[in-house]
Amino acid sequence: MARAKARHILVETEAECLALKEKIEAGADFAEVARAHSLCPSGNQGGLLGEFGPGQMVEEFDKVVFSGEVGKVLGPVRTQFGYHLIEITNRTA
């Protein structure tokens, strides 16, 4: 069964999500940005979500984590919680 490890940043608006993505792509540390801006409690751990399998996260999030490029900052991804930037740190088939 597929497994993945990821970290994310959750914010309220798409514009904020895009602005944070630009910062990270310009060299800002993902974990530091997560600590400073994420609305999710995981922000305190730099956005770390640990390891999980398909179906453990909401559908939109799941789809990106199990099909997106590992190591790249993906998003904005809209869910019922807000807008996410996602970085897949590891994935196994």
Side-chain angles (χ1 to χ4, degrees):
M1 177 191 254
R3 304 289 294 167
K5 288 183 182 176
R7 55 188 183 167
H8 81 131
I9 299 169
L10 173 65
V11 294
E12 288 182 1
T13 69
E14 185 175 19
E16 186 178 4
C17 202
L18 287 167
L20 294 177
K21 185 175 185 177
E22 278 186 30
K23 273 187 172 181
I24 293 165
E25 288 176 343
D29 181 69
F30 190 103
E32 291 302 318
V33 174
R35 283 185 195 76
H37 297 280
S38 187
L39 301 174
C40 182
S42 70
N44 294 332
Q45 289 80 47
L48 290 175
L49 295 171
E51 186 175 273
F52 53 92
Q56 290 186 267
M57 301 291 179
V58 293
E59 184 180 349
E60 302 90 345
F61 197 95
D62 231 31
K63 193 178 291 185
V64 171
V65 169
F66 289 99
S67 67
E69 185 179 335
V70 175
K72 186 174 180 190
V73 178
L74 307 168
V77 176
R78 185 170 185 246
T79 71
Q80 70 216 41
F81 302 106
Y83 291 86
H84 306 258
L85 289 179
I86 303 168
E87 182 184 39
I88 307 156
T89 56
N90 187 30
R91 186 174 60 222
T92 58

PDB file of all heavy atoms in Angstrom, residues 7-22 24-25 30 60-61 63-65 72-87:
ATOM      1  N   ARG A   7       4.618  17.709   4.444  1.00  0.00           N
ATOM      2  CA  ARG A   7       4.411  18.837   5.335  1.00  0.00           C
ATOM      3  C   ARG A   7       3.590  19.851   4.567  1.00  0.00           C
ATOM      4  O   ARG A   7       3.541  19.836   3.333  1.00  0.00           O
ATOM      5  CB  ARG A   7       5.737  19.405   5.832  1.00  0.00           C
ATOM      6  CG  ARG A   7       6.723  19.800   4.780  1.00  0.00           C
ATOM      7  CD  ARG A   7       8.051  20.152   5.418  1.00  0.00           C
ATOM      8  NE  ARG A   7       8.999  20.618   4.407  1.00  0.00           N
ATOM      9  CZ  ARG A   7      10.134  21.217   4.691  1.00  0.00           C
ATOM     10  NH1 ARG A   7      10.486  21.428   5.947  1.00  0.00           N
ATOM     11  NH2 ARG A   7      10.941  21.611   3.733  1.00  0.00           N
ATOM     12  N   HIS A   8       2.886  20.716   5.312  1.00  0.00           N
ATOM     13  CA  HIS A   8       2.011  21.668   4.635  1.00  0.00           C
ATOM     14  C   HIS A   8       1.907  22.967   5.417  1.00  0.00           C
ATOM     15  O   HIS A   8       2.292  23.052   6.584  1.00  0.00           O
ATOM     16  CB  HIS A   8       0.618  21.056   4.401  1.00  0.00           C
ATOM     17  CG  HIS A   8      -0.277  21.114   5.595  1.00  0.00           C
ATOM     18  ND1 HIS A   8      -1.562  21.577   5.534  1.00  0.00           N
ATOM     19  CD2 HIS A   8      -0.073  20.776   6.881  1.00  0.00           C
ATOM     20  CE1 HIS A   8      -2.113  21.515   6.741  1.00  0.00           C
ATOM     21  NE2 HIS A   8      -1.226  21.034   7.567  1.00  0.00           N
ATOM     22  N   ILE A   9       1.386  23.960   4.722  1.00  0.00           N
ATOM     23  CA  ILE A   9       1.075  25.256   5.313  1.00  0.00           C
ATOM     24  C   ILE A   9      -0.377  25.536   4.961  1.00  0.00           C
ATOM     25  O   ILE A   9      -0.764  25.456   3.792  1.00  0.00           O
ATOM     26  CB  ILE A   9       1.986  26.367   4.739  1.00  0.00           C
ATOM     27  CG1 ILE A   9       3.458  26.060   5.055  1.00  0.00           C
ATOM     28  CG2 ILE A   9       1.570  27.731   5.291  1.00  0.00           C
ATOM     29  CD1 ILE A   9       4.445  26.939   4.311  1.00  0.00           C
ATOM     30  N   LEU A  10      -1.182  25.847   5.956  1.00  0.00           N
ATOM     31  CA  LEU A  10      -2.607  26.130   5.761  1.00  0.00           C
ATOM     32  C   LEU A  10      -2.869  27.606   6.036  1.00  0.00           C
ATOM     33  O   LEU A  10      -2.504  28.119   7.098  1.00  0.00           O
ATOM     34  CB  LEU A  10      -3.443  25.275   6.718  1.00  0.00           C
ATOM     35  CG  LEU A  10      -4.937  25.573   6.767  1.00  0.00           C
ATOM     36  CD1 LEU A  10      -5.605  25.259   5.437  1.00  0.00           C
ATOM     37  CD2 LEU A  10      -5.596  24.798   7.895  1.00  0.00           C
ATOM     38  N   VAL A  11      -3.494  28.281   5.067  1.00  0.00           N
ATOM     39  CA  VAL A  11      -3.865  29.689   5.217  1.00  0.00           C
ATOM     40  C   VAL A  11      -5.298  29.887   4.725  1.00  0.00           C
ATOM     41  O   VAL A  11      -5.884  28.993   4.116  1.00  0.00           O
ATOM     42  CB  VAL A  11      -2.888  30.627   4.468  1.00  0.00           C
ATOM     43  CG1 VAL A  11      -1.502  30.576   5.090  1.00  0.00           C
ATOM     44  CG2 VAL A  11      -2.818  30.292   2.987  1.00  0.00           C
ATOM     45  N   GLU A  12      -5.845  31.078   4.970  1.00  0.00           N
ATOM     46  CA  GLU A  12      -7.244  31.334   4.639  1.00  0.00           C
ATOM     47  C   GLU A  12      -7.500  31.666   3.180  1.00  0.00           C
ATOM     48  O   GLU A  12      -8.564  31.368   2.650  1.00  0.00           O
ATOM     49  CB  GLU A  12      -7.790  32.473   5.505  1.00  0.00           C
ATOM     50  CG  GLU A  12      -7.995  32.071   6.949  1.00  0.00           C
ATOM     51  CD  GLU A  12      -8.590  33.196   7.779  1.00  0.00           C
ATOM     52  OE1 GLU A  12      -8.858  34.288   7.232  1.00  0.00           O
ATOM     53  OE2 GLU A  12      -8.776  32.974   8.981  1.00  0.00           O
ATOM     54  N   THR A  13      -6.547  32.337   2.516  1.00  0.00           N
ATOM     55  CA  THR A  13      -6.819  32.822   1.161  1.00  0.00           C
ATOM     56  C   THR A  13      -5.822  32.287   0.134  1.00  0.00           C
ATOM     57  O   THR A  13      -4.666  31.984   0.460  1.00  0.00           O
ATOM     58  CB  THR A  13      -6.771  34.363   1.103  1.00  0.00           C
ATOM     59  OG1 THR A  13      -5.425  34.797   1.301  1.00  0.00           O
ATOM     60  CG2 THR A  13      -7.693  34.996   2.144  1.00  0.00           C
ATOM     61  N   GLU A  14      -6.278  32.221  -1.092  1.00  0.00           N
ATOM     62  CA  GLU A  14      -5.418  31.799  -2.191  1.00  0.00           C
ATOM     63  C   GLU A  14      -4.275  32.792  -2.396  1.00  0.00           C
ATOM     64  O   GLU A  14      -3.136  32.408  -2.652  1.00  0.00           O
ATOM     65  CB  GLU A  14      -6.236  31.651  -3.474  1.00  0.00           C
ATOM     66  CG  GLU A  14      -5.442  31.107  -4.627  1.00  0.00           C
ATOM     67  CD  GLU A  14      -6.289  30.836  -5.866  1.00  0.00           C
ATOM     68  OE1 GLU A  14      -7.411  31.379  -5.974  1.00  0.00           O
ATOM     69  OE2 GLU A  14      -5.821  30.078  -6.728  1.00  0.00           O
ATOM     70  N   ALA A  15      -4.576  34.088  -2.245  1.00  0.00           N
ATOM     71  CA  ALA A  15      -3.550  35.123  -2.421  1.00  0.00           C
ATOM     72  C   ALA A  15      -2.426  34.956  -1.400  1.00  0.00           C
ATOM     73  O   ALA A  15      -1.241  35.056  -1.743  1.00  0.00           O
ATOM     74  CB  ALA A  15      -4.175  36.510  -2.298  1.00  0.00           C
ATOM     75  N   GLU A  16      -2.773  34.689  -0.150  1.00  0.00           N
ATOM     76  CA  GLU A  16      -1.755  34.477   0.882  1.00  0.00           C
ATOM     77  C   GLU A  16      -0.933  33.231   0.561  1.00  0.00           C
ATOM     78  O   GLU A  16       0.294  33.219   0.696  1.00  0.00           O
ATOM     79  CB  GLU A  16      -2.410  34.350   2.258  1.00  0.00           C
ATOM     80  CG  GLU A  16      -1.418  34.266   3.385  1.00  0.00           C
ATOM     81  CD  GLU A  16      -2.052  34.189   4.764  1.00  0.00           C
ATOM     82  OE1 GLU A  16      -3.297  34.115   4.869  1.00  0.00           O
ATOM     83  OE2 GLU A  16      -1.288  34.186   5.743  1.00  0.00           O
ATOM     84  N   CYS A  17      -1.603  32.197   0.101  1.00  0.00           N
ATOM     85  CA  CYS A  17      -0.941  30.948  -0.261  1.00  0.00           C
ATOM     86  C   CYS A  17       0.080  31.187  -1.376  1.00  0.00           C
ATOM     87  O   CYS A  17       1.225  30.733  -1.300  1.00  0.00           O
ATOM     88  CB  CYS A  17      -2.005  29.940  -0.693  1.00  0.00           C
ATOM     89  SG  CYS A  17      -1.513  28.226  -0.595  1.00  0.00           S
ATOM     90  N   LEU A  18      -0.314  31.922  -2.388  1.00  0.00           N
ATOM     91  CA  LEU A  18       0.581  32.218  -3.514  1.00  0.00           C
ATOM     92  C   LEU A  18       1.768  33.068  -3.070  1.00  0.00           C
ATOM     93  O   LEU A  18       2.899  32.848  -3.508  1.00  0.00           O
ATOM     94  CB  LEU A  18      -0.193  32.913  -4.638  1.00  0.00           C
ATOM     95  CG  LEU A  18      -1.150  32.015  -5.423  1.00  0.00           C
ATOM     96  CD1 LEU A  18      -2.085  32.855  -6.287  1.00  0.00           C
ATOM     97  CD2 LEU A  18      -0.385  31.003  -6.262  1.00  0.00           C
ATOM     98  N   ALA A  19       1.529  34.026  -2.188  1.00  0.00           N
ATOM     99  CA  ALA A  19       2.604  34.885  -1.697  1.00  0.00           C
ATOM    100  C   ALA A  19       3.628  34.067  -0.908  1.00  0.00           C
ATOM    101  O   ALA A  19       4.844  34.255  -1.055  1.00  0.00           O
ATOM    102  CB  ALA A  19       2.035  36.004  -0.827  1.00  0.00           C
ATOM    103  N   LEU A  20       3.156  33.138  -0.085  1.00  0.00           N
ATOM    104  CA  LEU A  20       4.062  32.289   0.693  1.00  0.00           C
ATOM    105  C   LEU A  20       4.834  31.336  -0.219  1.00  0.00           C
ATOM    106  O   LEU A  20       6.018  31.071   0.005  1.00  0.00           O
ATOM    107  CB  LEU A  20       3.298  31.520   1.773  1.00  0.00           C
ATOM    108  CG  LEU A  20       2.676  32.388   2.871  1.00  0.00           C
ATOM    109  CD1 LEU A  20       1.878  31.523   3.837  1.00  0.00           C
ATOM    110  CD2 LEU A  20       3.718  33.211   3.603  1.00  0.00           C
ATOM    111  N   LYS A  21       4.176  30.840  -1.250  1.00  0.00           N
ATOM    112  CA  LYS A  21       4.848  29.954  -2.204  1.00  0.00           C
ATOM    113  C   LYS A  21       6.002  30.700  -2.889  1.00  0.00           C
ATOM    114  O   LYS A  21       7.092  30.147  -3.047  1.00  0.00           O
ATOM    115  CB  LYS A  21       3.851  29.433  -3.240  1.00  0.00           C
ATOM    116  CG  LYS A  21       4.453  28.415  -4.190  1.00  0.00           C
ATOM    117  CD  LYS A  21       3.394  27.845  -5.121  1.00  0.00           C
ATOM    118  CE  LYS A  21       3.964  26.746  -5.987  1.00  0.00           C
ATOM    119  NZ  LYS A  21       2.942  26.137  -6.852  1.00  0.00           N
ATOM    120  N   GLU A  22       5.765  31.947  -3.262  1.00  0.00           N
ATOM    121  CA  GLU A  22       6.822  32.762  -3.876  1.00  0.00           C
ATOM    122  C   GLU A  22       8.009  32.920  -2.934  1.00  0.00           C
ATOM    123  O   GLU A  22       9.161  32.827  -3.354  1.00  0.00           O
ATOM    124  CB  GLU A  22       6.279  34.149  -4.248  1.00  0.00           C
ATOM    125  CG  GLU A  22       5.540  34.174  -5.556  1.00  0.00           C
ATOM    126  CD  GLU A  22       5.132  35.595  -5.956  1.00  0.00           C
ATOM    127  OE1 GLU A  22       5.837  36.561  -5.603  1.00  0.00           O
ATOM    128  OE2 GLU A  22       4.080  35.715  -6.611  1.00  0.00           O
ATOM    129  N   ILE A  24       8.963  30.924  -0.509  1.00  0.00           N
ATOM    130  CA  ILE A  24       9.671  29.640  -0.387  1.00  0.00           C
ATOM    131  C   ILE A  24      10.497  29.377  -1.652  1.00  0.00           C
ATOM    132  O   ILE A  24      11.654  28.970  -1.572  1.00  0.00           O
ATOM    133  CB  ILE A  24       8.678  28.498  -0.098  1.00  0.00           C
ATOM    134  CG1 ILE A  24       8.064  28.693   1.292  1.00  0.00           C
ATOM    135  CG2 ILE A  24       9.366  27.131  -0.205  1.00  0.00           C
ATOM    136  CD1 ILE A  24       6.821  27.860   1.552  1.00  0.00           C
ATOM    137  N   GLU A  25       9.903  29.618  -2.802  1.00  0.00           N
ATOM    138  CA  GLU A  25      10.621  29.394  -4.058  1.00  0.00           C
ATOM    139  C   GLU A  25      11.806  30.350  -4.211  1.00  0.00           C
ATOM    140  O   GLU A  25      12.751  30.060  -4.928  1.00  0.00           O
ATOM    141  CB  GLU A  25       9.663  29.491  -5.243  1.00  0.00           C
ATOM    142  CG  GLU A  25       8.726  28.287  -5.310  1.00  0.00           C
ATOM    143  CD  GLU A  25       7.682  28.376  -6.402  1.00  0.00           C
ATOM    144  OE1 GLU A  25       7.429  29.480  -6.931  1.00  0.00           O
ATOM    145  OE2 GLU A  25       7.093  27.324  -6.706  1.00  0.00           O
ATOM    146  N   PHE A  30      10.820  26.374   4.266  1.00  0.00           N
ATOM    147  CA  PHE A  30       9.426  25.919   4.362  1.00  0.00           C
ATOM    148  C   PHE A  30       8.987  25.822   5.818  1.00  0.00           C
ATOM    149  O   PHE A  30       7.910  26.308   6.188  1.00  0.00           O
ATOM    150  CB  PHE A  30       9.273  24.557   3.662  1.00  0.00           C
ATOM    151  CG  PHE A  30       7.838  24.110   3.493  1.00  0.00           C
ATOM    152  CD1 PHE A  30       7.209  24.220   2.263  1.00  0.00           C
ATOM    153  CD2 PHE A  30       7.121  23.569   4.544  1.00  0.00           C
ATOM    154  CE1 PHE A  30       5.890  23.804   2.093  1.00  0.00           C
ATOM    155  CE2 PHE A  30       5.807  23.152   4.395  1.00  0.00           C
ATOM    156  CZ  PHE A  30       5.189  23.275   3.165  1.00  0.00           C
ATOM    157  N   GLU A  60      -8.999  16.269  -1.763  1.00  0.00           N
ATOM    158  CA  GLU A  60      -8.183  17.180  -2.574  1.00  0.00           C
ATOM    159  C   GLU A  60      -6.709  17.104  -2.168  1.00  0.00           C
ATOM    160  O   GLU A  60      -5.820  17.143  -3.010  1.00  0.00           O
ATOM    161  CB  GLU A  60      -8.673  18.633  -2.401  1.00  0.00           C
ATOM    162  CG  GLU A  60     -10.118  18.861  -2.765  1.00  0.00           C
ATOM    163  CD  GLU A  60     -11.088  18.662  -1.604  1.00  0.00           C
ATOM    164  OE1 GLU A  60     -10.712  18.074  -0.565  1.00  0.00           O
ATOM    165  OE2 GLU A  60     -12.244  19.109  -1.743  1.00  0.00           O
ATOM    166  N   PHE A  61      -6.474  16.986  -0.880  1.00  0.00           N
ATOM    167  CA  PHE A  61      -5.121  16.893  -0.333  1.00  0.00           C
ATOM    168  C   PHE A  61      -4.499  15.567  -0.756  1.00  0.00           C
ATOM    169  O   PHE A  61      -3.374  15.518  -1.246  1.00  0.00           O
ATOM    170  CB  PHE A  61      -5.209  17.004   1.192  1.00  0.00           C
ATOM    171  CG  PHE A  61      -3.917  17.326   1.877  1.00  0.00           C
ATOM    172  CD1 PHE A  61      -3.596  18.630   2.195  1.00  0.00           C
ATOM    173  CD2 PHE A  61      -3.031  16.325   2.223  1.00  0.00           C
ATOM    174  CE1 PHE A  61      -2.411  18.942   2.838  1.00  0.00           C
ATOM    175  CE2 PHE A  61      -1.841  16.611   2.861  1.00  0.00           C
ATOM    176  CZ  PHE A  61      -1.530  17.925   3.173  1.00  0.00           C
ATOM    177  N   LYS A  63      -5.204  13.609  -3.246  1.00  0.00           N
ATOM    178  CA  LYS A  63      -4.949  13.532  -4.686  1.00  0.00           C
ATOM    179  C   LYS A  63      -3.580  14.120  -5.019  1.00  0.00           C
ATOM    180  O   LYS A  63      -2.809  13.540  -5.789  1.00  0.00           O
ATOM    181  CB  LYS A  63      -6.058  14.277  -5.440  1.00  0.00           C
ATOM    182  CG  LYS A  63      -6.078  14.018  -6.921  1.00  0.00           C
ATOM    183  CD  LYS A  63      -7.229  14.745  -7.589  1.00  0.00           C
ATOM    184  CE  LYS A  63      -8.564  14.141  -7.177  1.00  0.00           C
ATOM    185  NZ  LYS A  63      -9.703  14.745  -7.890  1.00  0.00           N
ATOM    186  N   VAL A  64      -3.249  15.258  -4.429  1.00  0.00           N
ATOM    187  CA  VAL A  64      -1.966  15.918  -4.682  1.00  0.00           C
ATOM    188  C   VAL A  64      -0.817  15.106  -4.093  1.00  0.00           C
ATOM    189  O   VAL A  64       0.201  14.881  -4.753  1.00  0.00           O
ATOM    190  CB  VAL A  64      -1.976  17.354  -4.118  1.00  0.00           C
ATOM    191  CG1 VAL A  64      -0.590  17.977  -4.175  1.00  0.00           C
ATOM    192  CG2 VAL A  64      -2.976  18.208  -4.879  1.00  0.00           C
ATOM    193  N   VAL A  65      -0.978  14.653  -2.870  1.00  0.00           N
ATOM    194  CA  VAL A  65       0.112  13.933  -2.193  1.00  0.00           C
ATOM    195  C   VAL A  65       0.467  12.633  -2.898  1.00  0.00           C
ATOM    196  O   VAL A  65       1.633  12.259  -2.974  1.00  0.00           O
ATOM    197  CB  VAL A  65      -0.245  13.682  -0.710  1.00  0.00           C
ATOM    198  CG1 VAL A  65       0.730  12.717  -0.061  1.00  0.00           C
ATOM    199  CG2 VAL A  65      -0.269  14.991   0.053  1.00  0.00           C
ATOM    200  N   LYS A  72       8.834  18.991  -4.315  1.00  0.00           N
ATOM    201  CA  LYS A  72       8.427  20.270  -4.892  1.00  0.00           C
ATOM    202  C   LYS A  72       7.295  20.865  -4.057  1.00  0.00           C
ATOM    203  O   LYS A  72       6.468  20.135  -3.526  1.00  0.00           O
ATOM    204  CB  LYS A  72       7.965  20.055  -6.332  1.00  0.00           C
ATOM    205  CG  LYS A  72       7.667  21.332  -7.059  1.00  0.00           C
ATOM    206  CD  LYS A  72       7.349  21.077  -8.518  1.00  0.00           C
ATOM    207  CE  LYS A  72       7.066  22.406  -9.197  1.00  0.00           C
ATOM    208  NZ  LYS A  72       6.533  22.250 -10.521  1.00  0.00           N
ATOM    209  N   VAL A  73       7.251  22.181  -3.940  1.00  0.00           N
ATOM    210  CA  VAL A  73       6.156  22.840  -3.219  1.00  0.00           C
ATOM    211  C   VAL A  73       4.964  22.926  -4.164  1.00  0.00           C
ATOM    212  O   VAL A  73       5.038  23.550  -5.225  1.00  0.00           O
ATOM    213  CB  VAL A  73       6.568  24.235  -2.714  1.00  0.00           C
ATOM    214  CG1 VAL A  73       5.400  24.909  -2.018  1.00  0.00           C
ATOM    215  CG2 VAL A  73       7.750  24.112  -1.753  1.00  0.00           C
ATOM    216  N   LEU A  74       3.875  22.284  -3.779  1.00  0.00           N
ATOM    217  CA  LEU A  74       2.680  22.182  -4.611  1.00  0.00           C
ATOM    218  C   LEU A  74       1.550  23.008  -4.015  1.00  0.00           C
ATOM    219  O   LEU A  74       1.393  23.076  -2.805  1.00  0.00           O
ATOM    220  CB  LEU A  74       2.255  20.713  -4.714  1.00  0.00           C
ATOM    221  CG  LEU A  74       3.349  19.753  -5.179  1.00  0.00           C
ATOM    222  CD1 LEU A  74       2.924  18.313  -4.964  1.00  0.00           C
ATOM    223  CD2 LEU A  74       3.691  20.002  -6.630  1.00  0.00           C
ATOM    224  N   GLY A  75       0.746  23.577  -4.861  1.00  0.00           N
ATOM    225  CA  GLY A  75      -0.397  24.341  -4.389  1.00  0.00           C
ATOM    226  C   GLY A  75      -0.437  25.700  -5.059  1.00  0.00           C
ATOM    227  O   GLY A  75       0.432  26.014  -5.867  1.00  0.00           O
ATOM    228  N   PRO A  76      -1.458  26.455  -4.732  1.00  0.00           N
ATOM    229  CA  PRO A  76      -2.434  26.256  -3.675  1.00  0.00           C
ATOM    230  C   PRO A  76      -3.390  25.090  -3.964  1.00  0.00           C
ATOM    231  O   PRO A  76      -3.798  24.883  -5.099  1.00  0.00           O
ATOM    232  CB  PRO A  76      -3.219  27.562  -3.634  1.00  0.00           C
ATOM    233  CG  PRO A  76      -2.569  28.506  -4.577  1.00  0.00           C
ATOM    234  CD  PRO A  76      -1.614  27.732  -5.410  1.00  0.00           C
ATOM    235  N   VAL A  77      -3.710  24.364  -2.902  1.00  0.00           N
ATOM    236  CA  VAL A  77      -4.686  23.280  -2.950  1.00  0.00           C
ATOM    237  C   VAL A  77      -5.823  23.687  -2.017  1.00  0.00           C
ATOM    238  O   VAL A  77      -5.612  23.866  -0.820  1.00  0.00           O
ATOM    239  CB  VAL A  77      -4.065  21.942  -2.494  1.00  0.00           C
ATOM    240  CG1 VAL A  77      -5.127  20.854  -2.462  1.00  0.00           C
ATOM    241  CG2 VAL A  77      -2.908  21.558  -3.402  1.00  0.00           C
ATOM    242  N   ARG A  78      -7.016  23.829  -2.579  1.00  0.00           N
ATOM    243  CA  ARG A  78      -8.158  24.273  -1.778  1.00  0.00           C
ATOM    244  C   ARG A  78      -8.883  23.064  -1.189  1.00  0.00           C
ATOM    245  O   ARG A  78      -9.193  22.099  -1.892  1.00  0.00           O
ATOM    246  CB  ARG A  78      -9.121  25.077  -2.648  1.00  0.00           C
ATOM    247  CG  ARG A  78     -10.253  25.670  -1.843  1.00  0.00           C
ATOM    248  CD  ARG A  78     -11.050  26.651  -2.694  1.00  0.00           C
ATOM    249  NE  ARG A  78     -12.056  27.286  -1.884  1.00  0.00           N
ATOM    250  CZ  ARG A  78     -13.360  27.122  -2.057  1.00  0.00           C
ATOM    251  NH1 ARG A  78     -13.810  26.368  -3.032  1.00  0.00           N
ATOM    252  NH2 ARG A  78     -14.215  27.728  -1.261  1.00  0.00           N
ATOM    253  N   THR A  79      -9.132  23.127   0.120  1.00  0.00           N
ATOM    254  CA  THR A  79      -9.951  22.119   0.807  1.00  0.00           C
ATOM    255  C   THR A  79     -10.975  22.858   1.659  1.00  0.00           C
ATOM    256  O   THR A  79     -10.979  24.098   1.704  1.00  0.00           O
ATOM    257  CB  THR A  79      -9.105  21.207   1.726  1.00  0.00           C
ATOM    258  OG1 THR A  79      -8.660  21.968   2.857  1.00  0.00           O
ATOM    259  CG2 THR A  79      -7.915  20.596   0.993  1.00  0.00           C
ATOM    260  N   GLN A  80     -11.778  22.100   2.382  1.00  0.00           N
ATOM    261  CA  GLN A  80     -12.766  22.717   3.269  1.00  0.00           C
ATOM    262  C   GLN A  80     -12.109  23.519   4.397  1.00  0.00           C
ATOM    263  O   GLN A  80     -12.750  24.335   5.035  1.00  0.00           O
ATOM    264  CB  GLN A  80     -13.677  21.641   3.865  1.00  0.00           C
ATOM    265  CG  GLN A  80     -12.972  20.739   4.864  1.00  0.00           C
ATOM    266  CD  GLN A  80     -13.441  19.305   4.808  1.00  0.00           C
ATOM    267  OE1 GLN A  80     -13.653  18.747   3.741  1.00  0.00           O
ATOM    268  NE2 GLN A  80     -13.617  18.716   5.965  1.00  0.00           N
ATOM    269  N   PHE A  81     -10.824  23.305   4.628  1.00  0.00           N
ATOM    270  CA  PHE A  81     -10.115  23.974   5.711  1.00  0.00           C
ATOM    271  C   PHE A  81      -9.477  25.293   5.286  1.00  0.00           C
ATOM    272  O   PHE A  81      -9.138  26.122   6.117  1.00  0.00           O
ATOM    273  CB  PHE A  81      -9.032  23.055   6.291  1.00  0.00           C
ATOM    274  CG  PHE A  81      -9.592  21.764   6.793  1.00  0.00           C
ATOM    275  CD1 PHE A  81      -9.401  20.590   6.076  1.00  0.00           C
ATOM    276  CD2 PHE A  81     -10.345  21.705   7.960  1.00  0.00           C
ATOM    277  CE1 PHE A  81      -9.932  19.390   6.519  1.00  0.00           C
ATOM    278  CE2 PHE A  81     -10.882  20.517   8.407  1.00  0.00           C
ATOM    279  CZ  PHE A  81     -10.680  19.349   7.690  1.00  0.00           C
ATOM    280  N   GLY A  82      -9.254  25.467   3.987  1.00  0.00           N
ATOM    281  CA  GLY A  82      -8.597  26.657   3.472  1.00  0.00           C
ATOM    282  C   GLY A  82      -7.701  26.292   2.309  1.00  0.00           C
ATOM    283  O   GLY A  82      -7.987  25.350   1.556  1.00  0.00           O
ATOM    284  N   TYR A  83      -6.583  27.010   2.182  1.00  0.00           N
ATOM    285  CA  TYR A  83      -5.649  26.797   1.084  1.00  0.00           C
ATOM    286  C   TYR A  83      -4.329  26.266   1.630  1.00  0.00           C
ATOM    287  O   TYR A  83      -3.804  26.794   2.604  1.00  0.00           O
ATOM    288  CB  TYR A  83      -5.410  28.112   0.330  1.00  0.00           C
ATOM    289  CG  TYR A  83      -6.635  28.554  -0.425  1.00  0.00           C
ATOM    290  CD1 TYR A  83      -7.616  29.305   0.200  1.00  0.00           C
ATOM    291  CD2 TYR A  83      -6.822  28.199  -1.757  1.00  0.00           C
ATOM    292  CE1 TYR A  83      -8.761  29.701  -0.486  1.00  0.00           C
ATOM    293  CE2 TYR A  83      -7.959  28.587  -2.450  1.00  0.00           C
ATOM    294  CZ  TYR A  83      -8.920  29.337  -1.808  1.00  0.00           C
ATOM    295  OH  TYR A  83     -10.051  29.720  -2.496  1.00  0.00           O
ATOM    296  N   HIS A  84      -3.819  25.242   0.980  1.00  0.00           N
ATOM    297  CA  HIS A  84      -2.614  24.559   1.432  1.00  0.00           C
ATOM    298  C   HIS A  84      -1.478  24.691   0.432  1.00  0.00           C
ATOM    299  O   HIS A  84      -1.699  24.641  -0.772  1.00  0.00           O
ATOM    300  CB  HIS A  84      -2.859  23.039   1.574  1.00  0.00           C
ATOM    301  CG  HIS A  84      -4.001  22.676   2.428  1.00  0.00           C
ATOM    302  ND1 HIS A  84      -3.860  22.241   3.725  1.00  0.00           N
ATOM    303  CD2 HIS A  84      -5.341  22.647   2.170  1.00  0.00           C
ATOM    304  CE1 HIS A  84      -5.050  21.959   4.223  1.00  0.00           C
ATOM    305  NE2 HIS A  84      -5.957  22.203   3.298  1.00  0.00           N
ATOM    306  N   LEU A  85      -0.267  24.820   0.970  1.00  0.00           N
ATOM    307  CA  LEU A  85       0.946  24.523   0.224  1.00  0.00           C
ATOM    308  C   LEU A  85       1.399  23.181   0.756  1.00  0.00           C
ATOM    309  O   LEU A  85       1.409  22.968   1.973  1.00  0.00           O
ATOM    310  CB  LEU A  85       2.034  25.565   0.474  1.00  0.00           C
ATOM    311  CG  LEU A  85       1.808  26.941  -0.121  1.00  0.00           C
ATOM    312  CD1 LEU A  85       2.958  27.862   0.248  1.00  0.00           C
ATOM    313  CD2 LEU A  85       1.639  26.873  -1.630  1.00  0.00           C
ATOM    314  N   ILE A  86       1.759  22.281  -0.121  1.00  0.00           N
ATOM    315  CA  ILE A  86       2.125  20.926   0.281  1.00  0.00           C
ATOM    316  C   ILE A  86       3.495  20.594  -0.279  1.00  0.00           C
ATOM    317  O   ILE A  86       3.780  20.849  -1.447  1.00  0.00           O
ATOM    318  CB  ILE A  86       1.107  19.895  -0.255  1.00  0.00           C
ATOM    319  CG1 ILE A  86      -0.307  20.236   0.226  1.00  0.00           C
ATOM    320  CG2 ILE A  86       1.507  18.477   0.137  1.00  0.00           C
ATOM    321  CD1 ILE A  86      -1.417  19.455  -0.473  1.00  0.00           C
ATOM    322  N   GLU A  87       4.326  20.010   0.567  1.00  0.00           N
ATOM    323  CA  GLU A  87       5.598  19.454   0.097  1.00  0.00           C
ATOM    324  C   GLU A  87       5.627  17.983   0.478  1.00  0.00           C
ATOM    325  O   GLU A  87       5.560  17.644   1.665  1.00  0.00           O
ATOM    326  CB  GLU A  87       6.783  20.176   0.702  1.00  0.00           C
ATOM    327  CG  GLU A  87       8.097  19.617   0.150  1.00  0.00           C
ATOM    328  CD  GLU A  87       9.323  20.227   0.786  1.00  0.00           C
ATOM    329  OE1 GLU A  87       9.313  20.476   1.998  1.00  0.00           O
ATOM    330  OE2 GLU A  87      10.296  20.447   0.061  1.00  0.00           O
TER     331      GLU A  87
END
